[in-house]
Amino acid sequence: MHTTTREALRVSGVLVALATVTSGCSQDTHTGTGDKSPTEHTSPSASQRGLGDILVGGKAVTGSQPTNLPKAPYQRTYTNGPLYAQITGYRSMAYGRSGLEALYDDSLSAGAPGDVATTIEPAVQKAAFDALGDQQGAAVALDAESGKLLALVSTPSYDPAQFSGRGGKDSQAWKSATGDSRSPMLNRALKQADAPGATFSVVVAAAALDQGLYTTVDDATVSPLTYVLPLSTTRVTGASSQCENASIRLALRRSCANVFTKMAAELGQDRLRAAAQKFGFDDDTLKVPLTVAESSYPGDSTTAPEAALTGMGAGDVRATPLEMARVAAAVANGGQLVSPQLVDRVTKADGTTQRPETADGGSAGQAMSRGTADALRAALGTDGQTGWVPSGDGDLAASWFIGSARSSDGRRVAVAVRVEDLPSTAGAEESVGGRAAAEAAEKILASLS
């Protein structure tokens, strides 16, 4: 396994960024009614509506129309369905519900409908959706201090309006969406955990600094250009001659796999696992309030060479795009880990408003010391970084990017992007893989200015 880097991509604003290309593809779809939470309904005219609505930027992205059917008097309609499908989910007369439609069914059903107001910002959501385009991948943007999700995108997407009824066309649309080999109904941002590649080196660097292995990000790491994994003959070679004995600052910017595999071996599996857990790994209870696939660090049965490989985000370490956005947010926010939130408030038919437990967001603990976070933010600076890990074992190759920037109103916003199904032939990383996620992230961050 080897890593190849290219010149860093400059992004406007104060950017803390790290990107890589890695492999893996998993399935974790969410269907059915799901958990039920407090509900909402806002306007005096709500009693005249059929179904409650899901709001984005204060405006409804859902609607309803009468069916004249006693048992199902209203059919759901959607505005810009594919843009918000991974947030709203679907409400179908024939196929049930998913997403927020399922989670807040009591509030959104006809009778006493309410409104569910999300934290999503339309401009950021559209920028992320357009940036991914026809690519297969996911993008997350969240406020690094409050944890509010500003964008949550998974592509390819689907249009829930196409099968909200129960006719022949609805049946055909359902079969097309569920039978598509590209899995448009999979929420890759929340439900797909894969090897994070070099983005995980931020966690490794944070652990090394907090544990005192290195005093500053500019200390030489005493890393041979070609590092032999412990108890193994497997060799990991740095991307360039600059990776030999590189400092943490330089190793992050040049994606030096030799440095971070050696660093992981020096830390040891127990200390590195403990550090990863402070960032939110191995937490199987996280909800936003939609359920999230667990991001995980390998257990005790992992061998010494396998544990070393986790230093470069390989081996059995797995992360969702949401989790890696939390890592970027911790670097941007003085080391504090945020609790991500998708729903801001729920208003009932009687006008009373409730906030779900996850709506408070904010800190979920200290992932690293403030000094370490500030040092890493300074080390990464205003440039991004890319790397290439080819696909293997039948998995898809993928490009990752994590970073943060100041928005025009002064907020720190963290971003994570993953683009998959990239060619892994020689030189492909320069033309496709190496830039895919970073270019998408640049467009998302540009929407903040």
Side-chain angles (χ1 to χ4, degrees):
M1 181 175 295
H2 65 279
T3 303
T4 304
T5 59
R6 51 170 297 278
E7 286 298 319
L9 174 68
R10 183 167 296 277
V11 179
S12 61
V14 179
L15 173 65
V16 180
L18 180 65
T20 190
V21 184
T22 181
S23 63
C25 180
S26 64
Q27 297 287 329
D28 187 7
T29 58
H30 174 67
T31 59
T33 58
D35 299 326
K36 295 182 179 180
S37 298
T39 64
E40 151 184 30
H41 173 111
T42 53
S43 68
S45 63
S47 60
Q48 302 173 5
R49 293 183 311 177
L51 301 171
D53 284 319
I54 297 172
L55 311 180
V56 174
K59 297 182 179 180
V61 296
T62 59
S64 57
Q65 59 187 18
T67 64
N68 298 319
L69 299 173
K71 293 185 178 181
Y74 296 96
Q75 179 176 333
R76 174 64 88 197
T77 61
Y78 294 89
T79 301
N80 295 324
L83 177 61
Y84 298 112
Q86 304 300 343
I87 298 163
T88 63
Y90 60 82
R91 176 177 292 269
S92 171
M93 297 170 65
Y95 306 108
R97 296 165 293 282
S98 73
L100 293 182
E101 291 276 28
L103 199 62
Y104 293 97
D105 182 48
D106 286 350
S107 299
L108 298 173
S109 294
D115 292 328
V116 177
T118 71
T119 60
I120 297 297
E121 295 189 358
V124 185
Q125 178 77 6
K126 189 175 188 307
F129 188 79
D130 291 346
L132 287 174
D134 294 331
Q135 299 175 112
Q136 193 165 306
V140 176
L142 77 161
D143 188 306
E145 295 182 5
S146 71
K148 290 183 178 180
L149 285 160
L150 310 181
L152 186 68
V153 171
S154 177
T155 57
S157 187
Y158 66 96
D159 187 353
Q162 292 185 346
F163 49 81
S164 63
R166 62 178 189 179
K169 290 185 178 179
D170 298 276
S171 177
Q172 292 176 2
W174 175 261
K175 290 179 181 178
S176 177
T178 56
D180 191 327
S181 62
R182 300 185 74 200
S183 303
M185 298 182 73
L186 170 64
N187 189 331
R188 290 172 167 84
L190 301 182
K191 301 289 189 177
Q192 185 168 335
D194 292 289
T199 55
F200 189 73
S201 61
V202 170
V203 176
V204 181
L209 290 168
D210 273 352
Q211 292 292 330
L213 267 66
Y214 301 95
T215 304
T216 73
V217 294
D218 293 311
D219 292 346
T221 59
V222 193
S223 304
L225 184 59
T226 297
Y227 174 63
V228 181
L229 302 184
L231 305 178
S232 171
T233 59
T234 301
R235 298 169 178 265
V236 175
T237 302
S240 73
S241 59
Q242 291 181 312
C243 290
E244 184 171 5
N245 300 327
S247 65
I248 290 176
R249 182 191 301 273
L250 183 59
L252 287 170
R253 294 186 175 185
R254 294 292 180 264
S255 189
C256 296
N258 60 315
V259 172
F260 293 110
T261 51
K262 181 176 182 289
M263 196 176 293
E266 291 174 333
L267 283 165
Q269 184 179 11
D270 290 343
R271 286 198 292 181
L272 189 48
R273 184 194 299 115
Q277 289 173 345
K278 289 182 179 180
F279 279 91
F281 284 78
D282 296 337
D283 180 2
D284 61 359
T285 65
L286 182 65
K287 295 182 180 180
V288 298
L290 299 177
T291 57
V292 181
E294 182 181 359
S295 297
S296 59
Y297 188 83
D300 293 333
S301 61
T302 304
T303 65
E306 289 171 341
L309 282 175
T310 65
M312 54 186 285
D316 290 331
V317 62
R318 294 290 182 268
T320 62
L322 175 65
E323 171 58 28
M324 296 316 298
R326 296 177 81 195
V327 171
V331 173
N333 190 34
Q336 291 188 0
L337 184 69
V338 293
S339 296
Q341 55 169 321
L342 176 60
V343 173
D344 182 63
R345 67 188 183 279
V346 182
T347 306
K348 294 184 176 182
D350 61 6
T352 59
T353 299
Q354 295 183 356
R355 290 169 62 83
E357 292 181 4
T358 57
D360 290 336
S363 176
Q366 198 75 16
M368 63 190 129
S369 70
R370 174 173 289 277
T372 290
D374 291 345
L376 289 176
R377 185 170 66 249
L380 290 167
T382 59
D383 294 325
Q385 173 185 314
T386 61
W388 178 253
V389 179
S391 59
D393 298 326
D395 291 331
L396 298 174
S399 166
W400 281 86
F401 181 101
I402 65 172
S404 67
R406 287 281 191 185
S407 64
S408 58
D409 58 3
R411 294 174 298 171
R412 286 195 182 275
V413 177
V415 172
V417 179
R418 182 179 184 274
V419 178
E420 63 189 59
D421 197 15
L422 302 169
S424 57
T425 56
E429 80 243 44
E430 292 300 323
S431 60
V432 182
R435 294 185 59 89
E439 288 180 344
E442 181 181 18
K443 295 175 182 177
I444 298 169
L445 294 170
S447 72
L448 301 171
S449 60

